[in-house]
Structure formats: structure tokens, C-alpha cells
Amino acid sequence: MITLRQLRYFETLARTRHFGMAADQCAVTQPALSMQIKELERELGIALVERRGNAVAITPAGQDIAQRAEAILNQVRDLSDYAHQQQGVLTGPLRLGIIPSIAPYLLPAILTAVARHYPALDLQIRETQTGALVEELVRGDLDAALLALPIPQPQVETMALFDDRFLIAVQSKAAKGWTGGDLRARMERERLLLLEEGHCLRDQALQFCHIANMQSRKALAAASLTTIMQMVAAGHGITLLPELCAQTEVDRRRVALIEFPDDAPMRKVGLAWRRSSTRKDDFKALGDLILAIKQPDLSDRG
């Protein structure tokens, strides 16, 4: 009989294309993983993998089987989720992904609120960039993700939570030069500090600033908002900073925040989950909890 273990091992191998990596992700030895995949091939009567020394190639039939295995494993996860949900809203394990430009600023408050209102919830956190979160969400490695919307993925359902407006962060010494006039035109004359490729915050800033060619001679990239804010404080450029991050990242003695007079750019923050998931009540309850954190006057209700 085909087992879920065999399907999980093969789906992981098909995704990683590496026996060692697949074995690590499945928390087994490489020989054990290889043996289970050979058993699966024998049971199905077809070759799934072409073994070429250290390299791994998935056969055409194997690629189809891997997609079917992923769908089956997701259905099994949804079945387990359904059973957990019968025990009450937000109970048991829930794997939540969060993007780096949200996690440090909301996660501590989320964990505190979960401990207070839903002590039976085992919230497991994964922080990484949007692309990886969406892939892991669709694959079933995550239950939900807190990120910037929209998510152009038909297998994903979303719940908008709040708007997070952008502010212009400049060195305090230069703040007077930003009063009045066209702020967008002024920004074009400055060096724009951005996060590295892969961060949705970078893409949002570029889209707002209409920088098609990246202004490579002006723009600089950094790995974190903390690094960017230190560079702004030292006078090496400006940046667009989400208001959510301002309280933590901004030293008001060294950095000034400029508000747009009207039509301020913003990002929409929300929750995302697999459309097929049976835990929608959980995700809506978690979304309501996050909204209460953003609106302190609601935090003591219920």
C-alpha cells in the first residue's frame, strides 16, 4: 500500500531536487528516504526519479505524481485542521508566516494577546519574504501568513486588516528643506535607500516612486530596515518607511518623518490562507485579534 510517508518523502525530494536536503527536511536519514521512494516506485510500477550521482532528476511521470502527492498531503492537513477546529477556535498548532517588515513590530503584541485570549493555541512562527511565504502556504507548510496584499494566487484567500501609510524618513538636519512644495519631485533628487531584492516593501517603494530603471547610480539596497534607518540618520539618503515600523526604527533626534499632505501612499496588511483550508474561523479570529492590537480601545473587549 502507498503510505503518506512515502508521498511526503517524494514530494519533498521533487521540490528540493536533492536527497540530502529532502532527508533533512523530513528529519530522516538519506538511506531511509531513498528506500521509501524506491518502495513507492515499486508500488506504482513506474520510475519517479533518475539518479545521476549527486544530481536528481524527476521523470515526467514523477512530476505528475509529485503534484498529486502535494494535493493529497494538503487534503490530509486540512482533515487534521478540521479535527482541531472541533475542539474550539484557535486551539492546537497554527503555523503562521510573517514578512520581515511586519514581524518585529506586531509579533510581540500578537504573542501576548494569544497567550491571554487563546492559551490553547500553539502559534508557530516563520519569518521570511513574501514569495517564500506564499509558496509554503500553497504547499501546506504554513497555515496562514501575515503580509502585504494583494496576493495574486488563485489558491489563496485573503482578509484585509488595516492600511499602513508610508512616511518619508530624512535626516533631521535636512528636515526644513522638505516643508512645502512637491514631495514626490523632491524625492526624485535624493538617494533612495531600499531593501534588497525579494522584499515586497522594496517593490512598493519603487512603484510609488515610478523608478523603472532602479536609478542604479542613486539607489542603495540594505538587508534590513534598521540598517536603512541608520544610513538615513547619517545623511546617506532617504527612504519610505511604513508607519507601523516608525516607533521602533526611528530615533527622533536624528531622523525626521515627513507626512504626505494628501493621497499618501500606503500598503494594505492582511492575512492569507489556502482557499481549501477548513480553518477559516481560526483565521478570522486571529485577524480580529490583530485588529484589536492595532486599535487599543478594542483590546479589552470579549
Side-chain angles (χ1 to χ4, degrees):
M1 294 290 294
I2 297 172
T3 67
L4 291 176
R5 176 185 298 177
Q6 291 168 348
L7 294 180
R8 182 165 66 91
Y9 288 3
F10 176 62
E11 187 276 333
T12 305
L13 178 65
R15 176 163 38 85
T16 61
R17 296 294 203 277
H18 191 281
F19 274 101
M21 291 176 60
D24 288 342
Q25 290 188 20
C26 295
V28 296
T29 64
Q30 188 169 327
L33 181 133
S34 180
M35 181 182 68
Q36 288 295 322
I37 291 175
K38 287 179 180 178
E39 287 291 333
L40 178 61
E41 289 178 315
R42 279 196 288 268
E43 187 67 32
L44 293 173
I46 57 175
L48 303 175
V49 180
E50 293 180 16
R51 297 164 177 81
R52 305 170 181 172
N54 293 329
V56 174
I58 306 301
T59 66
Q63 293 174 9
D64 186 37
I65 295 296
Q67 293 178 356
R68 293 169 183 266
E70 180 180 338
I72 291 169
L73 292 169
N74 278 337
Q75 289 178 343
V76 172
R77 292 187 185 101
D78 290 342
L79 180 63
S80 178
D81 290 344
Y82 173 80
H84 279 299
Q85 197 166 24
Q86 303 314 298
Q87 302 170 19
V89 174
L90 289 179
T91 59
L94 192 153
R95 300 160 299 176
L96 177 67
I98 309 182
I99 58 175
S101 61
I102 293 178
Y105 317 107
L106 270 185
L107 185 55
I110 291 174
L111 293 176
T112 298
V114 164
R116 178 183 177 187
H117 296 286
Y118 299 102
L121 177 65
D122 175 18
L123 193 59
Q124 303 166 11
I125 303 299
R126 160 88 162 132
E127 179 184 346
T128 191
Q129 297 175 8
T130 300
L133 288 185
V134 173
E135 287 181 6
E136 293 175 23
L137 190 63
V138 172
R139 196 165 62 230
D141 293 340
L142 291 174
D143 299 307
L146 182 61
L147 33 64
L149 305 180
I151 302 299
Q153 168 56 259
Q155 294 174 264
V156 172
E157 188 172 344
T158 61
M159 172 186 180
L161 297 178
F162 60 89
D163 291 331
D164 188 19
R165 65 173 180 160
F166 285 100
L167 307 168
I168 307 173
V170 305
Q171 187 184 39
S172 293
K173 296 177 182 178
K176 290 183 179 180
W178 287 82
T179 56
D182 186 344
L183 293 181
R184 298 173 192 245
R186 173 63 193 272
M187 289 180 66
E188 292 178 359
R189 300 195 297 269
E190 301 289 336
R191 171 175 285 169
L192 184 63
L193 305 177
L194 303 168
L195 289 172
E196 293 176 333
E197 292 279 359
H199 290 272
C200 62
L201 194 57
R202 174 192 180 91
D203 298 333
Q204 292 156 1
L206 290 173
Q207 182 178 9
F208 169 71
C209 297
H210 305 293
I211 304 178
N213 62 3
M214 306 285 291
Q215 290 190 359
S216 58
R217 61 187 179 85
K218 281 189 171 184
L220 294 177
S224 71
L225 278 176
T226 299
T227 300
I228 286 178
M229 295 312 300
Q230 290 298 318
M231 294 173 70
V232 170
H236 294 300
I238 66 168
T239 195
L240 279 177
L241 184 71
E243 191 172 22
L244 176 67
C245 313
Q247 183 175 355
T248 301
E249 296 292 352
V250 174
D251 180 349
R252 295 284 182 162
R253 298 166 301 177
R254 305 173 63 204
V255 174
L257 296 177
I258 311 298
E259 297 184 10
F260 291 89
D262 52 28
D263 193 25
M266 61 182 62
R267 63 178 180 172
K268 189 173 292 292
V269 175
L271 276 175
W273 58 85
R274 288 189 313 283
R275 193 173 295 277
S276 62
S277 176
T278 60
R279 301 187 68 177
K280 295 181 183 180
D281 289 345
D282 281 342
F283 306 140
K284 291 177 180 177
L286 181 60
D288 289 342
L289 190 69
I290 295 171
L291 276 176
I293 292 169
K294 285 291 296 175
Q295 303 173 42
D297 57 311
L298 301 179
S299 60
D300 291 326
R301 298 184 185 179

